[in-house]
């Protein structure tokens, strides 16, 4: 990774650590924040993207009258097995509260 990539990764890792620590101090919040950060180099030849949570980055391109969407990120949610492992290794937990379970069949991340 270059300097920009490292800075984006470090910023989101530090944000996640602070959020998890604050959550634990205040009673383990059932919700979390999401973010997408993007930078473009001075020559407009390189796009760097970092994300956390259920945010998505999508790039739209146009050729003539045709517009196409390109997904640039993978969702950070509990349905992704790699994300579930990452959450648990970071000290978080993955599960459902009783209220959420009755409202949705999807698993929710709880940190």
């Amino acid at each position: 990774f270059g300097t920009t990539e490292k800075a984006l990764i470090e910023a989101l890792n530090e944000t996640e650590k602070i959020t998890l620590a604050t959550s634990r101090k205040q009673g383990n919040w059932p919700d979390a924040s999401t973010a997408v950060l993007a930078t473009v180099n001075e020559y407009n030849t390189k796009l760097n993207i970092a994300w956390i949570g259920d945010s998505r980055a999508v790039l739209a391109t146009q050729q003539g009258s045709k517009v196409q969407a390109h997904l640039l990120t993978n969702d950070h949610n509990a349905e992704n097995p790699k994300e579930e492992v990452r959450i648990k290794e970071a000290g978080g937990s993955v599960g459902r509260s009783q209220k959420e379970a009755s409202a949705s069949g999807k698993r929710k991340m709880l940190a």
Side-chain angles (χ1 to χ4, degrees):
F1 293 113
T3 305
T4 302
E5 292 93 340
K6 286 179 183 176
L8 291 172
I9 291 166
E10 288 175 18
L12 289 179
N13 282 338
E14 187 63 22
T15 300
E16 183 173 38
K17 285 178 190 175
I18 292 168
T19 301
L20 287 172
T22 304
S23 168
R24 286 187 196 103
K25 288 179 188 175
Q26 296 182 1
N28 289 326
W29 305 330
D31 299 313
S33 295
T34 66
V36 174
L37 306 175
T39 63
V40 178
N41 71 358
E42 62 186 304
Y43 306 107
N44 289 328
T45 58
K46 186 173 183 181
L47 173 66
N48 295 298
I49 298 174
W51 71 102
I52 190 168
D54 257 350
S55 294
R56 290 183 180 173
V58 179
L59 176 67
T61 59
Q62 182 173 358
Q63 288 187 319
S65 62
K66 185 180 179 184
V67 177
Q68 192 169 13
H70 306 273
L71 184 61
L72 301 178
T73 58
N74 296 314
D75 289 354
H76 287 172
N77 63 43
E79 293 176 2
N80 178 339
K82 289 181 182 178
E83 182 63 8
E84 182 173 351
V85 169
R86 187 197 67 76
I87 292 164
K88 289 178 179 177
E89 288 177 353
S93 61
V94 177
R96 273 195 305 217
S97 70
Q98 210 47 32
K99 183 177 179 182
E100 290 172 320
S102 62
S104 169
K106 293 184 179 181
R107 292 185 297 169
K108 302 288 182 185
M109 289 185 292
L110 302 174

PDB file of all heavy atoms in Angstrom, residues 48-78:
ATOM      1  N   ASN A  48      -8.750   5.795  -4.823  1.00  0.00           N
ATOM      2  CA  ASN A  48      -8.615   4.984  -3.610  1.00  0.00           C
ATOM      3  C   ASN A  48      -9.934   5.049  -2.852  1.00  0.00           C
ATOM      4  O   ASN A  48     -10.490   6.129  -2.680  1.00  0.00           O
ATOM      5  CB  ASN A  48      -7.510   5.536  -2.700  1.00  0.00           C
ATOM      6  CG  ASN A  48      -6.154   5.425  -3.338  1.00  0.00           C
ATOM      7  OD1 ASN A  48      -5.682   4.336  -3.617  1.00  0.00           O
ATOM      8  ND2 ASN A  48      -5.528   6.557  -3.574  1.00  0.00           N
ATOM      9  N   ILE A  49     -10.405   3.881  -2.395  1.00  0.00           N
ATOM     10  CA  ILE A  49     -11.654   3.828  -1.651  1.00  0.00           C
ATOM     11  C   ILE A  49     -11.440   3.003  -0.392  1.00  0.00           C
ATOM     12  O   ILE A  49     -10.822   1.936  -0.424  1.00  0.00           O
ATOM     13  CB  ILE A  49     -12.782   3.194  -2.478  1.00  0.00           C
ATOM     14  CG1 ILE A  49     -13.052   4.038  -3.711  1.00  0.00           C
ATOM     15  CG2 ILE A  49     -14.052   3.033  -1.657  1.00  0.00           C
ATOM     16  CD1 ILE A  49     -14.024   3.437  -4.665  1.00  0.00           C
ATOM     17  N   ALA A  50     -11.964   3.506   0.714  1.00  0.00           N
ATOM     18  CA  ALA A  50     -11.993   2.755   1.971  1.00  0.00           C
ATOM     19  C   ALA A  50     -13.409   2.868   2.513  1.00  0.00           C
ATOM     20  O   ALA A  50     -14.043   3.900   2.356  1.00  0.00           O
ATOM     21  CB  ALA A  50     -10.985   3.332   2.956  1.00  0.00           C
ATOM     22  N   TRP A  51     -13.898   1.808   3.153  1.00  0.00           N
ATOM     23  CA  TRP A  51     -15.259   1.857   3.659  1.00  0.00           C
ATOM     24  C   TRP A  51     -15.374   1.010   4.914  1.00  0.00           C
ATOM     25  O   TRP A  51     -14.565   0.138   5.166  1.00  0.00           O
ATOM     26  CB  TRP A  51     -16.254   1.409   2.600  1.00  0.00           C
ATOM     27  CG  TRP A  51     -16.223  -0.056   2.279  1.00  0.00           C
ATOM     28  CD1 TRP A  51     -17.105  -1.010   2.714  1.00  0.00           C
ATOM     29  CD2 TRP A  51     -15.276  -0.749   1.459  1.00  0.00           C
ATOM     30  NE1 TRP A  51     -16.762  -2.249   2.208  1.00  0.00           N
ATOM     31  CE2 TRP A  51     -15.635  -2.115   1.441  1.00  0.00           C
ATOM     32  CE3 TRP A  51     -14.151  -0.355   0.742  1.00  0.00           C
ATOM     33  CZ2 TRP A  51     -14.915  -3.071   0.735  1.00  0.00           C
ATOM     34  CZ3 TRP A  51     -13.434  -1.305   0.044  1.00  0.00           C
ATOM     35  CH2 TRP A  51     -13.829  -2.640   0.045  1.00  0.00           C
ATOM     36  N   ILE A  52     -16.388   1.314   5.665  1.00  0.00           N
ATOM     37  CA  ILE A  52     -16.674   0.579   6.895  1.00  0.00           C
ATOM     38  C   ILE A  52     -18.193   0.534   7.058  1.00  0.00           C
ATOM     39  O   ILE A  52     -18.888   1.484   6.693  1.00  0.00           O
ATOM     40  CB  ILE A  52     -15.982   1.247   8.100  1.00  0.00           C
ATOM     41  CG1 ILE A  52     -16.064   0.368   9.338  1.00  0.00           C
ATOM     42  CG2 ILE A  52     -16.536   2.623   8.371  1.00  0.00           C
ATOM     43  CD1 ILE A  52     -15.160   0.845  10.466  1.00  0.00           C
ATOM     44  N   GLY A  53     -18.690  -0.575   7.519  1.00  0.00           N
ATOM     45  CA  GLY A  53     -20.132  -0.692   7.703  1.00  0.00           C
ATOM     46  C   GLY A  53     -20.832  -1.043   6.407  1.00  0.00           C
ATOM     47  O   GLY A  53     -20.227  -1.486   5.444  1.00  0.00           O
ATOM     48  N   ASP A  54     -22.118  -0.827   6.390  1.00  0.00           N
ATOM     49  CA  ASP A  54     -22.950  -1.203   5.248  1.00  0.00           C
ATOM     50  C   ASP A  54     -23.031  -0.125   4.174  1.00  0.00           C
ATOM     51  O   ASP A  54     -24.044  -0.008   3.498  1.00  0.00           O
ATOM     52  CB  ASP A  54     -24.372  -1.528   5.735  1.00  0.00           C
ATOM     53  CG  ASP A  54     -24.624  -3.023   5.789  1.00  0.00           C
ATOM     54  OD1 ASP A  54     -23.786  -3.777   5.292  1.00  0.00           O
ATOM     55  OD2 ASP A  54     -25.667  -3.418   6.321  1.00  0.00           O
ATOM     56  N   SER A  55     -21.996   0.674   4.028  1.00  0.00           N
ATOM     57  CA  SER A  55     -21.984   1.682   2.966  1.00  0.00           C
ATOM     58  C   SER A  55     -21.435   1.062   1.690  1.00  0.00           C
ATOM     59  O   SER A  55     -20.601   0.162   1.734  1.00  0.00           O
ATOM     60  CB  SER A  55     -21.094   2.864   3.367  1.00  0.00           C
ATOM     61  OG  SER A  55     -21.648   3.543   4.449  1.00  0.00           O
ATOM     62  N   ARG A  56     -21.887   1.578   0.575  1.00  0.00           N
ATOM     63  CA  ARG A  56     -21.415   1.097  -0.729  1.00  0.00           C
ATOM     64  C   ARG A  56     -20.853   2.251  -1.533  1.00  0.00           C
ATOM     65  O   ARG A  56     -21.379   3.361  -1.490  1.00  0.00           O
ATOM     66  CB  ARG A  56     -22.562   0.494  -1.535  1.00  0.00           C
ATOM     67  CG  ARG A  56     -23.063  -0.787  -1.012  1.00  0.00           C
ATOM     68  CD  ARG A  56     -24.153  -1.343  -1.902  1.00  0.00           C
ATOM     69  NE  ARG A  56     -24.619  -2.607  -1.344  1.00  0.00           N
ATOM     70  CZ  ARG A  56     -25.642  -3.270  -1.802  1.00  0.00           C
ATOM     71  NH1 ARG A  56     -26.320  -2.807  -2.831  1.00  0.00           N
ATOM     72  NH2 ARG A  56     -26.004  -4.407  -1.248  1.00  0.00           N
ATOM     73  N   ALA A  57     -19.831   1.943  -2.302  1.00  0.00           N
ATOM     74  CA  ALA A  57     -19.306   2.912  -3.268  1.00  0.00           C
ATOM     75  C   ALA A  57     -19.634   2.378  -4.661  1.00  0.00           C
ATOM     76  O   ALA A  57     -19.362   1.219  -4.975  1.00  0.00           O
ATOM     77  CB  ALA A  57     -17.809   3.090  -3.101  1.00  0.00           C
ATOM     78  N   VAL A  58     -20.234   3.226  -5.463  1.00  0.00           N
ATOM     79  CA  VAL A  58     -20.616   2.862  -6.822  1.00  0.00           C
ATOM     80  C   VAL A  58     -20.075   3.934  -7.760  1.00  0.00           C
ATOM     81  O   VAL A  58     -20.192   5.130  -7.486  1.00  0.00           O
ATOM     82  CB  VAL A  58     -22.155   2.776  -6.961  1.00  0.00           C
ATOM     83  CG1 VAL A  58     -22.559   2.423  -8.376  1.00  0.00           C
ATOM     84  CG2 VAL A  58     -22.720   1.773  -5.974  1.00  0.00           C
ATOM     85  N   LEU A  59     -19.470   3.516  -8.851  1.00  0.00           N
ATOM     86  CA  LEU A  59     -18.955   4.439  -9.855  1.00  0.00           C
ATOM     87  C   LEU A  59     -19.857   4.360 -11.078  1.00  0.00           C
ATOM     88  O   LEU A  59     -20.139   3.265 -11.581  1.00  0.00           O
ATOM     89  CB  LEU A  59     -17.521   4.049 -10.238  1.00  0.00           C
ATOM     90  CG  LEU A  59     -16.877   4.876 -11.348  1.00  0.00           C
ATOM     91  CD1 LEU A  59     -16.641   6.304 -10.875  1.00  0.00           C
ATOM     92  CD2 LEU A  59     -15.584   4.221 -11.799  1.00  0.00           C
ATOM     93  N   ALA A  60     -20.316   5.491 -11.545  1.00  0.00           N
ATOM     94  CA  ALA A  60     -21.148   5.534 -12.742  1.00  0.00           C
ATOM     95  C   ALA A  60     -20.288   5.971 -13.928  1.00  0.00           C
ATOM     96  O   ALA A  60     -19.509   6.921 -13.822  1.00  0.00           O
ATOM     97  CB  ALA A  60     -22.302   6.501 -12.561  1.00  0.00           C
ATOM     98  N   THR A  61     -20.394   5.242 -15.016  1.00  0.00           N
ATOM     99  CA  THR A  61     -19.702   5.623 -16.247  1.00  0.00           C
ATOM    100  C   THR A  61     -20.741   5.825 -17.341  1.00  0.00           C
ATOM    101  O   THR A  61     -21.830   5.235 -17.303  1.00  0.00           O
ATOM    102  CB  THR A  61     -18.691   4.546 -16.686  1.00  0.00           C
ATOM    103  OG1 THR A  61     -19.375   3.303 -16.891  1.00  0.00           O
ATOM    104  CG2 THR A  61     -17.588   4.372 -15.653  1.00  0.00           C
ATOM    105  N   GLN A  62     -20.406   6.666 -18.288  1.00  0.00           N
ATOM    106  CA  GLN A  62     -21.334   6.936 -19.380  1.00  0.00           C
ATOM    107  C   GLN A  62     -20.591   6.888 -20.699  1.00  0.00           C
ATOM    108  O   GLN A  62     -19.532   7.491 -20.859  1.00  0.00           O
ATOM    109  CB  GLN A  62     -21.989   8.303 -19.206  1.00  0.00           C
ATOM    110  CG  GLN A  62     -23.004   8.608 -20.280  1.00  0.00           C
ATOM    111  CD  GLN A  62     -23.770   9.891 -20.021  1.00  0.00           C
ATOM    112  OE1 GLN A  62     -23.574  10.556 -19.024  1.00  0.00           O
ATOM    113  NE2 GLN A  62     -24.653  10.229 -20.941  1.00  0.00           N
ATOM    114  N   GLN A  63     -21.166   6.154 -21.644  1.00  0.00           N
ATOM    115  CA  GLN A  63     -20.691   6.131 -23.019  1.00  0.00           C
ATOM    116  C   GLN A  63     -21.889   6.447 -23.889  1.00  0.00           C
ATOM    117  O   GLN A  63     -22.835   5.663 -23.956  1.00  0.00           O
ATOM    118  CB  GLN A  63     -20.081   4.782 -23.385  1.00  0.00           C
ATOM    119  CG  GLN A  63     -18.739   4.542 -22.725  1.00  0.00           C
ATOM    120  CD  GLN A  63     -18.083   3.276 -23.255  1.00  0.00           C
ATOM    121  OE1 GLN A  63     -18.734   2.268 -23.459  1.00  0.00           O
ATOM    122  NE2 GLN A  63     -16.786   3.361 -23.480  1.00  0.00           N
ATOM    123  N   GLY A  64     -21.866   7.616 -24.492  1.00  0.00           N
ATOM    124  CA  GLY A  64     -23.025   8.060 -25.257  1.00  0.00           C
ATOM    125  C   GLY A  64     -24.203   8.236 -24.318  1.00  0.00           C
ATOM    126  O   GLY A  64     -24.093   8.905 -23.298  1.00  0.00           O
ATOM    127  N   SER A  65     -25.311   7.585 -24.631  1.00  0.00           N
ATOM    128  CA  SER A  65     -26.493   7.705 -23.778  1.00  0.00           C
ATOM    129  C   SER A  65     -26.589   6.565 -22.756  1.00  0.00           C
ATOM    130  O   SER A  65     -27.502   6.532 -21.939  1.00  0.00           O
ATOM    131  CB  SER A  65     -27.762   7.731 -24.636  1.00  0.00           C
ATOM    132  OG  SER A  65     -27.867   6.514 -25.348  1.00  0.00           O
ATOM    133  N   LYS A  66     -25.626   5.643 -22.797  1.00  0.00           N
ATOM    134  CA  LYS A  66     -25.653   4.495 -21.884  1.00  0.00           C
ATOM    135  C   LYS A  66     -24.877   4.806 -20.604  1.00  0.00           C
ATOM    136  O   LYS A  66     -23.704   5.151 -20.638  1.00  0.00           O
ATOM    137  CB  LYS A  66     -25.054   3.261 -22.553  1.00  0.00           C
ATOM    138  CG  LYS A  66     -25.157   2.022 -21.705  1.00  0.00           C
ATOM    139  CD  LYS A  66     -24.564   0.810 -22.401  1.00  0.00           C
ATOM    140  CE  LYS A  66     -24.665  -0.390 -21.485  1.00  0.00           C
ATOM    141  NZ  LYS A  66     -24.027  -1.556 -22.081  1.00  0.00           N
ATOM    142  N   VAL A  67     -25.568   4.681 -19.469  1.00  0.00           N
ATOM    143  CA  VAL A  67     -24.955   4.873 -18.156  1.00  0.00           C
ATOM    144  C   VAL A  67     -24.884   3.513 -17.487  1.00  0.00           C
ATOM    145  O   VAL A  67     -25.852   2.756 -17.493  1.00  0.00           O
ATOM    146  CB  VAL A  67     -25.765   5.855 -17.283  1.00  0.00           C
ATOM    147  CG1 VAL A  67     -25.155   5.984 -15.902  1.00  0.00           C
ATOM    148  CG2 VAL A  67     -25.868   7.207 -17.965  1.00  0.00           C
ATOM    149  N   GLN A  68     -23.724   3.214 -16.907  1.00  0.00           N
ATOM    150  CA  GLN A  68     -23.533   1.924 -16.256  1.00  0.00           C
ATOM    151  C   GLN A  68     -23.002   2.141 -14.844  1.00  0.00           C
ATOM    152  O   GLN A  68     -22.163   3.010 -14.609  1.00  0.00           O
ATOM    153  CB  GLN A  68     -22.558   1.077 -17.064  1.00  0.00           C
ATOM    154  CG  GLN A  68     -22.506  -0.357 -16.633  1.00  0.00           C
ATOM    155  CD  GLN A  68     -21.722  -1.200 -17.638  1.00  0.00           C
ATOM    156  OE1 GLN A  68     -21.029  -0.685 -18.507  1.00  0.00           O
ATOM    157  NE2 GLN A  68     -21.823  -2.506 -17.500  1.00  0.00           N
ATOM    158  N   ALA A  69     -23.497   1.356 -13.894  1.00  0.00           N
ATOM    159  CA  ALA A  69     -23.047   1.422 -12.502  1.00  0.00           C
ATOM    160  C   ALA A  69     -22.063   0.287 -12.237  1.00  0.00           C
ATOM    161  O   ALA A  69     -22.290  -0.854 -12.655  1.00  0.00           O
ATOM    162  CB  ALA A  69     -24.236   1.308 -11.555  1.00  0.00           C
ATOM    163  N   HIS A  70     -20.972   0.609 -11.540  1.00  0.00           N
ATOM    164  CA  HIS A  70     -19.954  -0.367 -11.192  1.00  0.00           C
ATOM    165  C   HIS A  70     -19.795  -0.376  -9.673  1.00  0.00           C
ATOM    166  O   HIS A  70     -19.417   0.642  -9.082  1.00  0.00           O
ATOM    167  CB  HIS A  70     -18.612  -0.014 -11.836  1.00  0.00           C
ATOM    168  CG  HIS A  70     -18.695   0.178 -13.315  1.00  0.00           C
ATOM    169  ND1 HIS A  70     -18.584  -0.872 -14.196  1.00  0.00           N
ATOM    170  CD2 HIS A  70     -18.903   1.288 -14.057  1.00  0.00           C
ATOM    171  CE1 HIS A  70     -18.702  -0.409 -15.436  1.00  0.00           C
ATOM    172  NE2 HIS A  70     -18.898   0.897 -15.370  1.00  0.00           N
ATOM    173  N   LEU A  71     -20.087  -1.500  -9.040  1.00  0.00           N
ATOM    174  CA  LEU A  71     -19.942  -1.631  -7.595  1.00  0.00           C
ATOM    175  C   LEU A  71     -18.450  -1.701  -7.273  1.00  0.00           C
ATOM    176  O   LEU A  71     -17.719  -2.516  -7.837  1.00  0.00           O
ATOM    177  CB  LEU A  71     -20.655  -2.887  -7.096  1.00  0.00           C
ATOM    178  CG  LEU A  71     -20.675  -3.117  -5.596  1.00  0.00           C
ATOM    179  CD1 LEU A  71     -21.382  -1.970  -4.873  1.00  0.00           C
ATOM    180  CD2 LEU A  71     -21.346  -4.443  -5.277  1.00  0.00           C
ATOM    181  N   LEU A  72     -17.978  -0.836  -6.373  1.00  0.00           N
ATOM    182  CA  LEU A  72     -16.561  -0.760  -6.046  1.00  0.00           C
ATOM    183  C   LEU A  72     -16.207  -1.354  -4.687  1.00  0.00           C
ATOM    184  O   LEU A  72     -15.031  -1.468  -4.350  1.00  0.00           O
ATOM    185  CB  LEU A  72     -16.102   0.706  -6.072  1.00  0.00           C
ATOM    186  CG  LEU A  72     -16.289   1.440  -7.400  1.00  0.00           C
ATOM    187  CD1 LEU A  72     -15.837   2.885  -7.255  1.00  0.00           C
ATOM    188  CD2 LEU A  72     -15.524   0.740  -8.516  1.00  0.00           C
ATOM    189  N   THR A  73     -17.211  -1.727  -3.903  1.00  0.00           N
ATOM    190  CA  THR A  73     -16.961  -2.245  -2.562  1.00  0.00           C
ATOM    191  C   THR A  73     -17.771  -3.508  -2.309  1.00  0.00           C
ATOM    192  O   THR A  73     -18.728  -3.793  -3.028  1.00  0.00           O
ATOM    193  CB  THR A  73     -17.346  -1.200  -1.491  1.00  0.00           C
ATOM    194  OG1 THR A  73     -18.722  -0.852  -1.655  1.00  0.00           O
ATOM    195  CG2 THR A  73     -16.489   0.047  -1.588  1.00  0.00           C
ATOM    196  N   ASN A  74     -17.372  -4.242  -1.291  1.00  0.00           N
ATOM    197  CA  ASN A  74     -18.139  -5.393  -0.803  1.00  0.00           C
ATOM    198  C   ASN A  74     -18.784  -4.971   0.508  1.00  0.00           C
ATOM    199  O   ASN A  74     -18.138  -4.341   1.338  1.00  0.00           O
ATOM    200  CB  ASN A  74     -17.222  -6.589  -0.544  1.00  0.00           C
ATOM    201  CG  ASN A  74     -16.571  -7.090  -1.806  1.00  0.00           C
ATOM    202  OD1 ASN A  74     -17.222  -7.250  -2.820  1.00  0.00           O
ATOM    203  ND2 ASN A  74     -15.275  -7.315  -1.746  1.00  0.00           N
ATOM    204  N   ASP A  75     -20.030  -5.339   0.710  1.00  0.00           N
ATOM    205  CA  ASP A  75     -20.730  -4.949   1.933  1.00  0.00           C
ATOM    206  C   ASP A  75     -20.060  -5.517   3.168  1.00  0.00           C
ATOM    207  O   ASP A  75     -19.648  -6.675   3.189  1.00  0.00           O
ATOM    208  CB  ASP A  75     -22.181  -5.423   1.894  1.00  0.00           C
ATOM    209  CG  ASP A  75     -23.027  -4.646   0.912  1.00  0.00           C
ATOM    210  OD1 ASP A  75     -22.520  -3.663   0.337  1.00  0.00           O
ATOM    211  OD2 ASP A  75     -24.191  -5.017   0.714  1.00  0.00           O
ATOM    212  N   HIS A  76     -19.955  -4.692   4.189  1.00  0.00           N
ATOM    213  CA  HIS A  76     -19.492  -5.127   5.506  1.00  0.00           C
ATOM    214  C   HIS A  76     -20.731  -5.445   6.330  1.00  0.00           C
ATOM    215  O   HIS A  76     -21.247  -4.597   7.033  1.00  0.00           O
ATOM    216  CB  HIS A  76     -18.697  -4.009   6.197  1.00  0.00           C
ATOM    217  CG  HIS A  76     -17.350  -3.792   5.611  1.00  0.00           C
ATOM    218  ND1 HIS A  76     -16.566  -2.738   5.975  1.00  0.00           N
ATOM    219  CD2 HIS A  76     -16.633  -4.494   4.712  1.00  0.00           C
ATOM    220  CE1 HIS A  76     -15.419  -2.787   5.316  1.00  0.00           C
ATOM    221  NE2 HIS A  76     -15.444  -3.846   4.544  1.00  0.00           N
ATOM    222  N   ASN A  77     -21.231  -6.645   6.197  1.00  0.00           N
ATOM    223  CA  ASN A  77     -22.390  -7.028   6.997  1.00  0.00           C
ATOM    224  C   ASN A  77     -22.245  -8.472   7.437  1.00  0.00           C
ATOM    225  O   ASN A  77     -21.404  -9.219   6.945  1.00  0.00           O
ATOM    226  CB  ASN A  77     -23.706  -6.774   6.262  1.00  0.00           C
ATOM    227  CG  ASN A  77     -23.851  -7.585   5.003  1.00  0.00           C
ATOM    228  OD1 ASN A  77     -23.537  -8.766   4.983  1.00  0.00           O
ATOM    229  ND2 ASN A  77     -24.336  -6.969   3.946  1.00  0.00           N
ATOM    230  N   ALA A  78     -23.061  -8.865   8.369  1.00  0.00           N
ATOM    231  CA  ALA A  78     -22.935 -10.178   8.997  1.00  0.00           C
ATOM    232  C   ALA A  78     -23.271 -11.334   8.069  1.00  0.00           C
ATOM    233  O   ALA A  78     -23.003 -12.478   8.399  1.00  0.00           O
ATOM    234  CB  ALA A  78     -23.808 -10.236  10.247  1.00  0.00           C
TER     235      ALA A  78
END
